[in-house]
DNA sequence: AAAGGATGAATTTTT
DNA sequence: TTCATCCTTT
């Protein structure tokens, strides 16, 4: 045994109490920056090293893969890499492994396919089209979220369609069909992974006993984000001994829209009797100024525990506030500040730009590149959700699971091989008639002499292609298989031949996928499972596809010194010396959707969630926090006006300082379009003029004024009435006086 | 059957 | 604005 006291080094009293608490239910409320991951990882180390718990009796569950990776590497830092067999995984990752092992008990084929969000949506779309369902005005998206939310409440289609609410009237039958089709095809969506796991644990005593014997200690990160099914999951895996540790902060609960129940923090004690409660209230991250401002904002929420988060980092720089004229102005302010900070010695990697929605990243992308600032956007269109990658993966899928219909449909004519709509219809009809998979139907049509050659020939080639790839790959490693598939599927040549700006990176991405495959093998070499995985690459395909759908995977391309851009949701758990929280406007933060749908009390709790989002953003900052907003923003190509976020008013004025540009020299060199109406003379001439706008039609100018480098013009349109427009951004045509 | 143009719709957050 | 789908032409 190593020196156990090392595990407690540098911890404060509460942290220590949490780490060494005896086995039994333990709830840790951990304010922002209070060292929650430290406590969790040290507790794992403590259980193993001091309490002598066998590592393989421990499960730690997180929500994101990022958090799981982080925790894993920190535990390894404490214990060394050798003592591997503790499980640190996401709810979904762990449950997926569980289902693969117990697929028979779960009633699933061994090679069941995980549908990610996109797959699920297009599958629903297909069902609607193929069966000509009447969906009224429901979008696939609504149907999708209906199904998922029912599953998260452990409601199967049969139970849900008994519900009398009007949503179930319309969508219940679709849920039923969806459920049936998924079962036939061995398709499992994200919600299903958890629901299926819970059902197996509830019904199968053998499996339950096995799990209870195997796993004793469960630790849960971000407990405030648990939803109903995850609580059930926790009960099933943890309540035999009640050795459950949960860490959370209800002020950082930002997944209510996904069914998270922050109140689970309150009910923990009633689920697991005799819970010990430890509060971590010392913040190690931010200055007093930042912390006080954030506390002041979050204290407006009614639905929370009062808490006393403190720091010994007294004082600190005031929070800078910049109210920009428009979105360009805002992005330029941020870019300049970043450039100035960098020039003063602050590495880019110490700074980040946080925003509410992905859509906001665009402007910053453009401005930052024109300022030559290296940056990296988290999320956005993720690598594995790119079309070409999904296509290549579909070939892989078809090799191990030829009956996979979504994969079949995805690539049947990708690249184009003369199998158009008509041929595909024949396949689908045949599959439905004979009750077989699309691939089997294709084989039948190939054999069918009464069928037209025009239809049989291309199908024959396709079937031969897949069969050929399967046998070609028997001796190859995973990455070689991917390379082989990219070439022989014709995808690579196809994108290469198109030779357009959009398709050029697709070839690179396909090649990058080979590396991703190699990477996957390497990082999973150390894992318990993987020796046989390396020798036959085909065995690695399913685990690889799983990891690809379950893990968004933005781990690669670690550039040395880059600025980070991400949404507030993605920022949770991270910290940066300098944070730019942009888009501090009503309709953005709080987001418009949070205030427009639902009953007044729903709206209130939605706004509270937005406030928590704001709180999360502010508390990411260690030393400096910048808040920016803009009066005019472009959406849909139309300029809308915005008012300052209400959350700004909730920050005591003494913590704020108005920020200004260091220099405005470059302002004039920016690429303003041809129309520039800066001079007073021109402004005076504008009123009364007739103009035509490409969206609003014709109208008369009421007045015009110059502000910053732009011109605001008020126009009375014949069709839509009065509008304010920034002349430089709109395409206005002058048609007379 | 495929490609290219026209028309219409949509933007919150994620495992 | 951009993306997807539909409809036309080849």
């Amino acid at each position: 045994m190593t020196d156990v006291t090392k595990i407690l080094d540098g911890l404060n009293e509460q942290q220590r109490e949490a780490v060494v608490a005896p086995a039994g239910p333990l709830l840790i409320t951990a304010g922002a920056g209070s060292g929650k991951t430290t406590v969790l990882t040290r507790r794992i180390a403590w259980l193993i090293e001091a309490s002598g718990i066998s590592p393989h009796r421990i499960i730690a569950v997180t929500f994101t893969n990022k958090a799981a990776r982080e925790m894993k590497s920190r535990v390894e830092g404490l214990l060394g890499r050798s003592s591997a067999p503790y499980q640190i995984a996401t709810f979904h990752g762990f449950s997926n492994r569980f289902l693969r092992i117990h697929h028979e008990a779960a009633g699933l084929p061994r090679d069941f396919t995980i549908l990610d969000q996109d797959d699920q949506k297009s599958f629903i779309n297909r069902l609607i089209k193929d069966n000509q369902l009447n969906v009224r005005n429901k979008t696939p998206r609504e149907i999708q979220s209906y199904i998922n939310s029912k599953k998260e409440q452990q409601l199967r289609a049969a139970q849900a369609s008994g519900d009398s609410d009007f949503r179930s009237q319309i969508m219940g039958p679709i849920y039923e069909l969806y459920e049936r089709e998924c079962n036939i095809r061995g398709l499992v969506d994200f919600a299903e992974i958890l629901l299926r796991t819970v059902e197996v644990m509830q019904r199968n005593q053998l499996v339950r006993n096995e799990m209870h014997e195997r796993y004793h200690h469960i630790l849960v990160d971000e407990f405030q984000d648990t939803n109903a099914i995850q609580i059930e999951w926790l009960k099933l895996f943890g309540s035999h001994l009640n050795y459950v540790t949960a860490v959370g902060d209800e002020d950082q609960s930002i997944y209510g829209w996904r069914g998270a129940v922050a109140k689970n923090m309150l009910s923990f004690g009633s689920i697991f009797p005799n819970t010990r409660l430890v509060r971590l209230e010392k913040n190690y991250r931010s200055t007093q100024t930042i912390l006080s401002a954030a506390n002041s904002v979050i204290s407006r929420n009614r639905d929370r525990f009062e808490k006393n988060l403190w720091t010994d980092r007294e004082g600190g720089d005031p929070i800078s506030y910049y109210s920009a004229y428009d979105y360009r102005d805002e992005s330029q302010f941020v870019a300049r500040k970043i450039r100035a900070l960098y020039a003063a010695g602050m590495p880019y990697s110490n700074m980040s730009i946080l925003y509410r929605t992905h859509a906001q990243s665009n402007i910053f992308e453009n401005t930052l590149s024109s300022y030559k600032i290296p940056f990296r956007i988290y999320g956005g269109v993720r690598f594995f959700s790119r079309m070409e990658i999904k296509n290549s993966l579909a070939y892989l899928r078809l090799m191990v699971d030829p009956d996979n219909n979504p994969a079949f449909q995805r690539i049947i004519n990708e690249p184009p091989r003369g199998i158009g709509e008509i041929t595909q219809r024949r396949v689908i009809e045949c599959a439905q008639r004979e009750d077989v998979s699309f691939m089997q139907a294709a084989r039948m049509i190939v054999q069918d002499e009464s069928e037209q050659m025009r239809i049989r020939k291309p199908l024959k080639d396709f079937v031969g292609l897949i069969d050929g790839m399967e046998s070609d790959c028997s001796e190859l490693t995973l990455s070689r298989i991917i390379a082989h598939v990219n070439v022989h599927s014709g995808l690579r040549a196809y994108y290469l031949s198109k030779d357009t700006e959009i398709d050029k990176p697709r070839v690179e991405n396909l090649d990058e996928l080979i590396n991703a495959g190699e990477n996957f093998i390497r990082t999973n070499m150390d894992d318990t499972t993987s020796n046989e995985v390396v020798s036959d690459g085909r065995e690695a395909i399913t685990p690889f596809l799983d990891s690809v759908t379950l893990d968004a995977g933005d781990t690669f391309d670690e550039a040395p010194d880059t600025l980070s851009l991400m949404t507030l949701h993605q920022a949770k758990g991270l910290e940066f010396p300098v944070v730019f929280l942009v888009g501090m406007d009503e309709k953005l933060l709080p987001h418009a959707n949070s205030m427009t749908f639902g009953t007044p009390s729903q709206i209130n709790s939605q706004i509270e969630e937005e406030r928590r989002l704001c709180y999360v953003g502010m508390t990411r900052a260690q030393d400096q926090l910048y808040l920016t907003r803009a009066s005019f923003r472009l959406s849909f190509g139309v300029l809308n006006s915005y008012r300052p976020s209400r959350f700004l008013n909730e920050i005591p004025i003494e913590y704020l300082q108005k920020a200004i540009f260091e220099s405005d020299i470059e302002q004039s060199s920016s690429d303003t379009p041809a129309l520039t109406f800066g001079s007073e003379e021109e402004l005076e001439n504008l009123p009364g003029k007739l103009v035509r706008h490409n969206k609003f039609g014709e109208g008369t100018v009421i007045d015009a004024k110059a502000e910053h480098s732009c011109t605001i013009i008020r126009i009375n349109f014949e069709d839509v009435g009065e509008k304010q427009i920034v002349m430089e951004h709109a395409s206005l045509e002058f048609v007379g006086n």
Side-chain angles (χ1 to χ4, degrees):
Chain A
M1 194 188 280
T2 57
D3 184 9
V4 156
T5 56
K6 197 186 75 188
I7 297 172
L8 303 177
D9 267 1
L11 298 183
N12 68 33
E13 199 183 320
Q14 289 74 28
Q15 290 176 323
R16 189 171 306 204
E17 187 189 344
V19 168
V20 305
L26 172 66
L27 179 65
I28 305 166
T29 67
S34 63
K36 133 192 107 90
T37 309
T38 302
V39 165
L40 220 40
T41 51
R42 301 241 193 159
R43 179 158 173 80
I44 294 172
W46 182 263
L47 287 173
I48 294 170
E49 296 282 311
S51 312
I53 310 292
S54 170
H56 79 272
R57 299 219 174 280
I58 298 173
I59 321 176
V61 276
T62 62
F63 281 82
T64 66
N65 294 288
K66 196 164 63 179
R69 275 191 291 267
E70 167 77 8
M71 206 184 286
K72 219 177 226 169
S73 82
R74 283 172 69 169
V75 174
E76 273 168 13
L78 289 166
L79 297 179
R81 300 206 72 184
S82 51
S83 59
Y86 46 82
Q87 297 251 17
I88 299 180
T90 62
F91 276 102
H92 290 83
F94 182 91
S95 302
N96 176 46
R97 244 172 293 163
F98 172 88
L99 290 176
R100 295 280 172 199
I101 294 165
H102 300 288
H103 69 271
E104 277 178 48
L108 289 168
R110 178 188 276 106
D111 281 321
F112 68 81
T113 304
I114 302 170
L115 298 179
D116 68 21
Q117 203 84 297
D118 290 343
D119 299 336
Q120 188 188 27
K121 195 157 77 190
S122 45
F123 186 60
I124 290 170
N125 244 329
R126 277 246 92 76
L127 287 179
I128 294 168
K129 278 197 185 124
D130 291 349
N131 297 281
Q132 306 191 337
L133 297 176
N134 178 14
V135 293
R136 305 287 256 275
N137 51 357
K138 298 287 178 239
T139 63
R141 222 188 128 143
E142 282 174 283
I143 297 165
Q144 180 180 29
S145 77
Y146 169 83
I147 292 174
N148 289 340
S149 77
K150 289 296 174 192
K151 286 191 181 189
E152 273 154 16
Q153 298 161 57
Q154 292 184 70
L155 294 174
R156 287 295 181 187
Q159 298 148 307
S161 56
D163 288 4
S164 55
D165 61 301
F166 59 92
R167 274 168 33 124
S168 296
Q169 303 279 330
I170 302 167
M171 296 191 274
I174 303 173
Y175 183 10
E176 257 174 75
L177 178 69
Y178 173 84
E179 188 176 71
R180 198 163 55 237
E181 286 296 314
C182 285
N183 281 333
I184 294 168
R185 308 280 168 234
L187 305 176
V188 173
D189 59 48
F190 284 146
E192 184 72 33
I193 291 177
L194 300 186
L195 177 53
R196 197 65 77 119
T197 301
V198 161
E199 285 175 350
V200 172
M201 286 293 283
Q202 284 169 336
R203 288 176 198 160
N204 192 316
Q205 194 169 13
L206 234 57
V207 173
R208 190 167 64 239
N209 288 344
E210 186 193 325
M211 287 293 119
H212 286 175
E213 254 165 61
R214 164 86 201 259
Y215 296 112
H216 292 179
H217 291 265
I218 302 190
L219 300 93
V220 192
D221 192 18
E222 308 280 14
F223 185 69
Q224 76 283 353
D225 289 334
T226 47
N227 61 24
I229 197 139
Q230 282 156 337
I231 283 289
E232 189 59 28
W233 189 103
L234 205 55
K235 282 190 210 164
L236 286 163
F237 279 94
S239 54
H240 58 303
L241 291 172
N242 284 338
Y243 293 171
V244 176
T245 298
V247 188
D249 176 8
E250 78 278 2
D251 287 337
Q252 293 185 72
S253 161
I254 53 177
Y255 288 100
W257 53 276
R258 240 179 66 192
V261 188
K263 290 219 170 79
N264 284 341
M265 293 287 290
L266 289 167
S267 40
F268 186 88
S270 55
I271 299 169
F272 302 103
N274 304 317
T275 291
R276 176 188 292 254
L277 178 71
V278 179
R279 293 167 170 276
L280 306 181
E281 294 187 310
K282 178 171 181 191
N283 173 298
Y284 287 91
R285 182 183 294 153
S286 310
T287 64
Q288 182 67 61
T289 302
I290 291 168
L291 198 59
S292 302
N295 281 339
S296 163
V297 171
I298 199 65
S299 69
R300 303 302 210 276
N301 274 3
R302 286 190 49 230
D303 235 358
R304 67 188 286 266
F305 298 121
E306 197 55 48
K307 59 170 85 82
N308 177 32
L309 207 52
W310 62 281
T311 175
D312 50 21
R313 297 190 57 195
E314 280 168 40
D317 294 340
I319 295 164
S320 295
Y321 168 60
Y322 182 72
S323 183
Y325 169 70
D326 70 353
Y327 61 100
R328 286 178 163 190
D329 184 5
E330 182 188 35
S331 69
Q332 286 186 10
F333 168 78
V334 172
R336 282 168 194 224
K337 267 290 178 231
I338 287 171
R339 190 171 58 185
L341 285 162
Y342 181 74
M346 179 72 71
Y348 291 125
S349 55
N350 280 4
M351 303 186 264
S352 75
I353 300 175
L354 310 181
Y355 36 74
R356 176 68 237 265
T357 68
H358 277 306
Q360 290 165 262
S361 70
N362 241 310
I363 313 114
F364 288 95
E365 262 175 88
N366 296 336
T367 310
L368 290 169
S369 1
S370 78
Y371 276 72
K372 306 252 185 311
I373 295 171
F375 64 92
R376 184 174 162 210
I377 296 179
Y378 286 72
V381 189
R382 280 181 282 280
F383 181 73
F384 288 117
S385 52
R386 286 164 208 255
M387 176 187 47
E388 63 278 15
I389 297 301
K390 288 209 134 196
N391 288 340
S392 178
L393 295 175
Y395 280 95
L396 288 180
R397 174 89 64 195
L398 224 46
M399 283 172 59
V400 291
D401 179 17
D403 297 330
N404 189 292
N405 286 349
F408 181 95
Q409 283 197 297
R410 179 160 200 107
I411 45 135
I412 179 68
N413 202 30
E414 193 71 33
R417 50 172 68 89
I419 304 178
E421 201 185 324
I422 291 172
T423 309
Q424 290 183 38
R425 272 248 83 79
R426 302 283 296 121
V427 172
I428 293 168
E429 277 163 20
C430 174
Q432 283 180 341
R433 191 176 59 240
E434 304 290 334
D435 194 29
V436 294
S437 71
F438 291 166
M439 186 58 107
Q440 288 166 330
R443 288 183 197 278
M444 290 170 78
I445 292 172
V446 171
Q447 299 298 322
D448 185 352
E449 311 250 322
S450 67
E451 197 65 73
Q452 283 178 50
M453 226 32 216
R454 174 106 168 268
I455 284 177
R456 286 170 64 196
K457 176 70 172 53
L459 279 179
K460 183 164 185 266
D461 292 346
F462 177 71
V463 169
L465 174 72
I466 299 296
D467 290 344
M469 284 201 304
E470 223 274 313
S471 59
D472 287 348
C473 291
S474 61
E475 304 271 284
L476 302 181
T477 62
L478 178 63
S479 57
R480 298 282 303 284
I481 291 176
I482 297 171
H484 186 271
V485 164
N486 283 349
V487 172
H488 288 82
S489 65
L491 282 175
R492 199 172 185 285
Y494 176 59
Y495 295 126
L496 209 55
S497 72
K498 295 188 67 168
D499 195 39
T500 65
E501 278 307 305
I502 314 132
D503 289 297
K504 217 176 352 178
R506 298 197 195 280
V507 180
E508 289 162 29
N509 286 336
L510 283 179
D511 293 340
E512 181 60 35
L513 185 62
I514 301 169
N515 294 335
E518 187 56 33
N519 222 6
F520 174 77
I521 296 297
R522 280 168 198 271
T523 48
N524 288 274
M525 284 275 281
D526 310 317
D527 246 87
T528 45
T529 41
S530 53
N531 261 345
E532 62 283 16
V533 166
V534 187
S535 53
D536 187 348
R538 286 178 304 178
E539 289 294 313
I541 290 178
T542 302
F544 178 61
L545 292 174
D546 279 0
S547 98
V548 154
T549 30
L550 250 33
D551 185 349
D554 36 25
T555 44
F556 33 104
D557 73 307
E558 286 292 326
D561 186 23
T562 51
L563 170 73
S564 300
L565 277 68
M566 67 190 87
T567 65
L568 290 166
H569 285 84
Q570 290 167 325
K572 191 163 73 155
L574 303 179
E575 60 185 14
F576 299 91
V578 182
V579 167
F580 291 85
L581 180 44
V582 303
M584 291 293 294
D585 293 285
E586 290 288 301
K587 295 196 281 190
L588 233 39
L589 187 66
H591 194 274
N593 289 359
S594 69
M595 23 189 179
T596 38
F597 301 113
T599 65
S601 91
Q602 281 171 331
I603 288 178
N604 187 53
S605 66
Q606 284 160 186
I607 298 263
E608 292 209 342
E609 179 149 316
E610 298 290 308
R611 188 176 280 112
R612 291 193 290 270
L613 220 30
C614 179
Y615 175 75
V616 166
M618 294 175 75
T619 52
R620 297 310 94 195
Q622 294 172 292
D623 307 322
Q624 290 181 54
L625 176 60
Y626 291 84
L627 305 174
T628 68
R629 63 167 297 270
S631 298
F632 293 94
R633 291 175 188 281
L634 213 48
S635 66
F636 279 96
V638 178
L639 208 62
N640 291 307
S641 73
Y642 289 79
R643 300 180 38 69
S645 167
R646 69 191 69 184
F647 303 143
L648 287 167
N649 296 326
E650 296 169 359
I651 300 172
I653 193 83
E654 65 261 31
Y655 299 129
L656 287 175
Q657 181 184 66
K658 273 210 166 155
I660 44 158
F661 277 126
E662 270 81 17
S663 75
D664 280 50
I665 301 163
E666 279 161 297
Q667 189 84 20
S668 53
S669 71
S670 70
D671 53 327
T672 32
L675 283 171
T676 310
F677 294 81
S679 77
E680 288 189 13
E681 190 187 352
E682 274 167 320
L683 290 179
E684 280 165 17
N685 284 336
L686 281 171
K689 285 221 155 89
L690 279 177
V691 295
R692 181 162 37 234
H693 186 271
N694 59 354
K695 273 246 156 47
F696 301 137
E698 291 191 4
T700 316
V701 176
I702 301 167
D703 59 22
K705 62 185 169 188
E707 228 169 85
H708 296 246
S709 56
C710 300
T711 313
I712 303 190
I713 179 169
R714 275 202 308 155
I715 300 170
N716 188 18
F717 286 104
E718 283 162 21
D719 298 336
V720 291
E722 190 182 313
K723 292 269 173 200
Q724 274 204 7
I725 285 179
V726 177
M727 214 143 81
E728 284 77 1
H729 297 310
S731 54
L732 280 181
E733 195 184 340
F734 286 81
V735 290
N737 280 310

